[in-house]
Amino acid sequence: MVLYIYRHFYKNSYSFLHYIIYLHFKIIIVVSICTYNAIEVVSMIDYKTIGSKIRNQRIACNLSQEKLAELCDVGTTHISHIETGNCIPSLRVFIAILNALSCSADQLLCDELSNAELTYKAEISSLLDDCSSHELMIITNTIQALKSSLRK
């Protein structure tokens, strides 16, 4: 096969070396584009919001950063960096955080999901669980007015 390619380029006044260089640059361009696209996807995720949700869930569970770090087998500083959005947790650490906080991934990632309706509806439902009839009436009227305003 290599001999065929060499003869083809020799007959057409192309240098085999030029072809190899051309392929090399084509590979570099493809790898560069793939790397750029991967960076673009990662940069679109709002890690500060995810970190804030982790912090809020940790506080709701009455856990300190130290205790969460211990449960996740990482350092306290690492948990602090995750909560402030300065660090992206590995999948292993993210799953450990989910298990330690007894929550699902969609609770923490719902802002990043394209189909997050069920998560938002569940969150609204949990907010309404302890409301009185009077509070529910006010909230219902507020939601109707807000919905009407959003759709204008």
Side-chain angles (χ1 to χ4, degrees), residues 14-97:
Y14 294 114
S15 159
F16 184 67
L17 182 60
H18 284 114
Y19 180 69
I20 297 299
I21 292 171
Y22 166 76
L23 284 178
H24 179 74
F25 282 120
K26 196 169 186 177
I27 290 170
I28 289 173
I29 290 170
V30 168
V31 169
S32 297
I33 290 170
C34 290
T35 304
Y36 174 77
N37 288 340
I39 290 169
E40 187 177 303
V41 169
V42 168
S43 66
M44 292 184 337
I45 297 173
D46 185 0
Y47 290 102
K48 288 187 181 200
T49 301
I50 294 170
S52 175
K53 288 184 179 211
I54 290 171
R55 182 180 61 251
N56 292 339
Q57 188 69 25
R58 174 183 57 79
I59 291 169
C61 292
N62 293 321
L63 289 175
S64 65
Q65 284 185 342
E66 293 80 12
K67 183 63 178 172
L68 181 59
E70 180 184 318
L71 291 171
C72 297
D73 198 29
V74 295
T76 306
T77 306
H78 191 53
I79 294 295
S80 174
H81 286 279
I82 290 170
E83 289 184 353
T84 57
N86 293 326
C87 178
I88 301 170
S90 68
L91 185 58
R92 182 191 68 78
V93 172
F94 186 69
I95 291 171
I97 289 170

